[in-house]
Amino acid sequence: MGRLTLGTWLLGALVLVGCICCVIQLQNGSTSPSKPAMRKIRPRVGQRKPVGYYEEGEKEISYPATPATAGIAPKESELQRRLPNTVLIGVKKGGTRALLEMLALHPNVKSSGKEVHFFDRPFNYANGLPWYRSRMKPSLPGDIVIEKSPAYFVTPEVPALIRRDLRPDVKLLLVLRNPVNRAVSDFMQGQHHVHGHMVRLADLSAADLAVMQAALTRKVLQANGDAINPNASFISVSMYDQHMARWLRHFPLSQIFVATTDQLVTTPTSVLEAAARFLDLHLDDVLAPRERRQVEE
């Protein structure tokens, strides 16, 4: 592995995460103004919908039995595009981009950059592992190759597919946010798509705020108003226990790194150090406790 002082890495990472984390905090009640609206994807007939990423009423989609595996695997001694050995699986609106950008500052970490959605979108999965590999950046043996797609955490088929198609010791990264705050943030992002522009609660008039609260209530509660509607996508994504149980049926907890959004915002150096240890990133030094406190303050 290459050598890099943690002090240099952390200073660059903290400047970046300071900008990114402010986007995911609930206080502003908005989504990132730089994030473009997601283009709707119309599934083909007979396909099954990944959880939380498509509108209600769309057709279901199904996976092929196995991926296409044609193609020559890269030689381990060369700079090549390789399949990920680390996957950032979620959660949506949790701060996954912040963690990824922090880690990607290390020279031995190669990030796919854009979300590939290989395992949760069957029309991508049908392209096969060579297509998936082509979306990764060139890397050397021993590099950490990371792909991030937050939909993986909540899509039922994905744990088994990753277990089958990637290396057995693949490492998984997961950032979890307060489930209520995450759901509200997810709902606000949906309002951004509906209105075509960023929606900030602080900018709404009393009448507009009342309309939005009524819309949120209709989506959160079942028709009789007596219980939470688990079928609302932004609610189902926040049901972490169900999703985590599914992942633990396929991977031991020792292969899953879990951080919280609050930790990422308040103590980013601690999260970064813990993630580095989990990924076996060898660093020359560590920040002294006093330096760490000064940076985090």
Side-chain angles (χ1 to χ4, degrees):
M1 301 287 286
R3 299 174 69 82
L4 179 73
T5 62
L6 182 59
T8 301
W9 183 29
L10 287 174
L11 287 176
L14 287 172
V15 172
L16 180 63
V17 76
C19 297
I20 297 177
C21 286
C22 67
V23 175
I24 61 175
Q25 296 184 69
L26 183 62
Q27 285 82 350
N28 62 13
S30 67
T31 59
S32 171
S34 61
K35 185 172 182 178
M38 183 178 289
R39 180 172 62 89
K40 291 291 193 301
I41 297 178
R42 190 177 301 279
R44 295 185 288 272
V45 175
Q47 294 179 325
R48 181 174 175 184
K49 176 178 70 175
V51 176
Y53 277 79
Y54 298 98
E55 299 295 330
E56 296 180 3
E58 290 183 331
K59 299 290 185 179
E60 298 242 331
I61 52 178
S62 58
Y63 283 82
T66 58
T69 56
I72 301 175
K75 295 181 179 179
E76 287 301 312
S77 60
E78 300 175 356
L79 181 67
Q80 296 279 355
R81 299 183 188 274
R82 291 174 167 80
L83 291 173
N85 51 31
T86 304
V87 183
L88 212 171
I89 59 176
V91 61
K92 183 184 179 185
K93 307 303 296 179
T96 55
R97 174 58 59 182
L99 179 60
L100 180 65
E101 295 295 346
M102 291 166 62
L103 291 171
L105 291 173
H106 194 286
N108 298 116
V109 174
K110 309 301 180 185
S111 163
S112 60
K114 296 181 179 180
E115 296 175 4
V116 181
H117 290 285
F118 178 68
F119 292 103
D120 67 296
R121 293 182 177 174
F123 42 88
N124 285 337
Y125 188 79
N127 292 324
L129 292 176
W131 179 90
Y132 185 39
R133 183 187 295 120
S134 72
R135 266 53 189 174
M136 304 301 124
K137 292 181 179 178
S139 60
L140 291 170
D143 281 347
I144 304 298
V145 182
I146 302 180
E147 191 255 311
K148 176 187 87 77
S149 293
Y152 289 169
F153 182 60
V154 299
T155 306
E157 298 85 355
V158 169
L161 294 175
I162 289 181
R163 177 76 179 179
R164 184 185 71 182
D165 297 337
L166 298 183
R167 48 194 292 170
D169 60 346
V170 62
K171 294 186 176 182
L172 307 173
L173 306 176
L174 177 63
V175 182
L176 295 178
R177 185 178 183 180
N178 177 296
V180 175
N181 294 349
R182 196 223 65 81
V184 172
S185 180
D186 202 349
F187 172 79
M188 292 301 298
Q189 184 179 35
Q191 294 302 301
H192 167 64
H193 297 323
V194 169
H195 294 279
H197 59 82
M198 182 179 66
V199 177
R200 295 176 57 90
L201 292 177
D203 297 336
L204 295 176
S205 66
D208 289 339
L209 184 59
V211 171
M212 185 167 294
Q213 289 175 333
L216 177 61
T217 300
R218 287 195 301 271
K219 287 181 175 292
V220 169
L221 298 180
Q222 293 183 352
N224 57 16
D226 293 336
I228 298 295
N229 177 16
N231 296 319
S233 62
F234 62 96
I235 296 296
S236 64
V237 171
S238 288
M239 293 179 176
Y240 300 152
D241 59 329
Q242 298 179 12
H243 308 309
M244 195 65 180
R246 190 163 52 240
W247 283 92
L248 291 175
R249 287 197 291 269
H250 297 276
F251 296 95
L253 189 58
S254 60
Q255 284 180 231
I256 307 176
F257 174 83
V258 181
T260 68
T261 305
D262 288 343
Q263 291 171 335
L264 197 59
V265 172
T266 60
T267 57
T269 54
S270 298
V271 174
L272 195 56
E273 289 174 347
R277 290 192 297 270
F278 177 76
L279 297 174
D280 295 323
L281 287 171
H282 302 294
L283 306 171
D284 291 330
D285 62 356
V286 295
L287 286 176
R290 185 175 67 177
E291 291 174 315
R292 183 181 298 109
R293 287 197 300 271
Q294 290 174 343
V295 170
E296 293 180 349
E297 290 173 357

